[in-house]
Amino acid sequence: MHILVTGGAGYIGSHTCVALLEAGHEVTVLDNLCNSSAVALERVQEIAGKPLAFIHGDIRNPDDLDRALQGGADAVIHFAALKAVGESCEKPLAYFDNNIGGTIALLQAMERAGVRRLVFSSSATVYGEPDTVPVTEDAPLRATNPYGRTKLVMEQLIGDCCQAVPEMGAVLLRYFNPVGAHPSGRIGEDPAGIPNNLMPYIAQVAVGRRERLQVFGGDWPTPDGTGVRDYLHVMDLAEAHVRALEFGRDQAGARAINVGTGRGYSVLELVRAFEQASGKVVPYDVVGRRVGDVAELWAEPALAEALLGWRAQRGLATMCADAWRWQAGNPQGYDGP
Ligand code: NAD
Ligand code: UD1
């Protein structure tokens, strides 16, 4: 298939492009590089040994979208979005404009081009603070911040379009906590500024870019008092997209599917696993809880197995080893020497 990948230069998008090229698909990336580097796409092509087409443009610009779709795409994978929870509280309008406005423009362009297949990057954030874990897809949906609200609204917009156009099909992949990197160490997560998320923060402490990790809360009702999450290798997640495209070929309507391992690890378990993988000490201080955090969150991934034939293959040690290979080889990310 020929796939348009919005946001394909980003963290998850770049790893997914490798998996798509390796599965034999043709790929066009549309990205404005607001949170990524074109170097990532050069490296994707180097790893896969195949070319992709890149359009430097914005999903809110209809001309850029028409250009990206003019080659006759069979499906779209839609990663392009802003994703920082804290920033979304400070600049909600920028998030509504980019994420919701961009998705509306994309759906309109797909309608113009007659493209009916979509795989959408949703997030476990749509479950807010869940009543029970593991979380199933039919759990109540609620947003606790503007970023989460954009994901919830985008899911609903896509669902409404599928209702209106019977031939349209969408797979809404609700990712839990993607971490790690391609095993080559050539592409990985390269957050701008101070990392918000745990794994890139730990990796930057281990490589000497930051002094100490702050552990947000040691008094959660969990076995060791620190928060528990469902960490998932980004290559497993990339492969879930390839499966979702195949499943989406004859799927009508919008279908939400959790993408997680079904097992949670605490902050301190992740720190220890990273120390083991890197041979580095990760000094930390336990500080107060972060606003908006929950004690524990992990997926019930049975639906992904039933519908996509997908389950996570890589464990925590591999996630840490691959994240470390990327961080050690690229201490300053893509902009480094
Ligand atoms: P990322 O920031 O690395 O990638 C997003 C990409 O989209 C970037 O390359 C950015 O330049 C591009 N982009 C943003 N706005 C754009 C626009 N208007 N036009 C064109 N390109 C634009 O983030 P990521 O971690 O790879 O996340 C990809 C998707 O997955 C996002 O939708 C995110 O919300 C979702 N998601 C991520 C996580 C996670 O933990 N990383 C978890 C759940 C869901
Ligand atoms: C974050 C996002 C969420 C998104 C999810 C998946 C926030 C508030 N939430 O959730 O919207 O869907 O990523 O990408 O940003 N931690 C520390 N120290 C740190 C960083 C994190 O102790 O410096 C802890 C957190 O309290 C949490 C765990 O590590 O218990 C994981 O945090 P993080 O990587 O930010 O992911 P989530 O909180 O699950």
Side-chain angles (χ1 to χ4, degrees):
M1 288 189 266
H2 184 174
I3 315 299
L4 170 61
V5 183
T6 74
Y11 171 46
I12 304 168
S14 56
H15 290 79
T16 302
C17 285
V18 170
L20 289 169
L21 291 170
E22 286 179 347
H25 298 297
E26 275 179 57
V27 173
T28 297
V29 168
L30 173 63
D31 200 303
N32 65 3
L33 304 179
C34 69
N35 195 38
S36 54
S37 162
V39 176
L41 292 175
E42 288 166 20
R43 296 191 183 177
V44 164
Q45 295 173 84
E46 165 203 304
I47 294 168
K50 291 179 190 169
L52 55 71
F54 173 48
I55 295 178
H56 186 186
D58 197 297
I59 55 164
R60 290 163 298 178
N61 181 335
D63 293 338
D64 291 345
L65 285 165
D66 288 345
R67 212 151 44 95
L69 286 167
Q70 78 189 359
D74 297 295
V76 175
I77 305 183
H78 180 30
F79 292 107
L82 301 176
K83 62 164 185 176
V85 173
E87 185 186 58
S88 80
C89 299
E90 288 153 24
K91 303 179 189 166
L93 287 173
Y95 274 66
F96 300 154
D97 176 47
N98 195 77
N99 295 3
I100 299 174
T103 299
I104 294 171
L106 173 66
L107 290 165
Q108 288 169 330
M110 287 174 65
E111 188 172 56
R112 281 194 298 279
V115 180
R116 305 287 198 211
R117 302 275 157 245
L118 179 65
V119 177
F120 173 64
S121 294
S122 191
S123 167
T125 194
V126 298
Y127 297 118
E129 200 166 329
D131 303 326
T132 51
V133 280
V135 191
T136 51
E137 287 82 355
D138 55 6
L141 303 182
R142 42 177 98 99
T144 54
N145 56 65
Y147 164 71
R149 207 158 348 268
T150 69
K151 287 286 160 192
L152 207 47
V153 170
M154 290 186 279
E155 280 201 1
Q156 291 164 344
L157 291 177
I158 293 166
D160 286 346
C161 289
C162 289
Q163 285 260 306
V165 180
E167 316 85 75
M168 184 163 172
V171 184
L172 315 172
L173 295 180
R174 293 182 179 153
Y175 316 156
F176 280 67
N177 290 62
V179 297
H182 189 270
S184 64
R186 297 290 289 157
I187 57 173
E189 188 168 12
D190 181 19
I194 301 170
N196 295 308
N197 298 115
L198 180 62
M199 180 69 110
Y201 204 104
I202 290 177
Q204 291 194 7
V205 171
V207 86
R209 256 175 93 171
R210 308 203 178 266
E211 256 178 47
R212 304 173 79 77
L213 171 73
Q214 294 194 321
V215 175
F216 297 142
D219 58 352
W220 292 101
T222 59
D224 68 14
T226 66
V228 171
R229 295 291 183 278
D230 188 337
Y231 298 98
L232 161 78
H233 197 294
V234 67
M235 288 311 301
D236 278 330
L237 178 57
E239 285 157 15
H241 289 80
V242 177
R243 298 293 182 95
L245 279 177
E246 284 155 15
F247 167 73
R249 272 187 150 164
D250 13 76
Q251 143 87 12
R255 193 77 199 230
I257 303 177
N258 284 342
V259 190
T261 65
R263 135 135 239 202
Y265 288 100
S266 75
V267 174
L268 294 183
E269 284 176 311
L270 194 65
V271 168
R272 280 187 215 106
F274 201 92
E275 288 182 332
Q276 195 100 47
S278 64
K280 302 282 179 188
V281 175
V282 176
Y284 65 84
D285 300 307
V286 178
V287 300
R289 294 179 179 185
R290 180 171 68 178
V291 176
D293 268 352
V294 297
E296 47 186 15
L297 188 60
W298 68 87
E300 169 51 70
L303 192 64
E305 177 139 27
L307 296 184
L308 308 181
W310 175 92
R311 72 194 293 184
Q313 302 294 326
R314 299 155 176 93
L316 190 64
T318 307
M319 299 180 212
C320 292
D322 290 339
W324 175 241
R325 192 174 303 106
W326 153 254
Q327 187 69 71
N330 305 267
Q332 303 298 325
Y334 291 112
D335 295 332

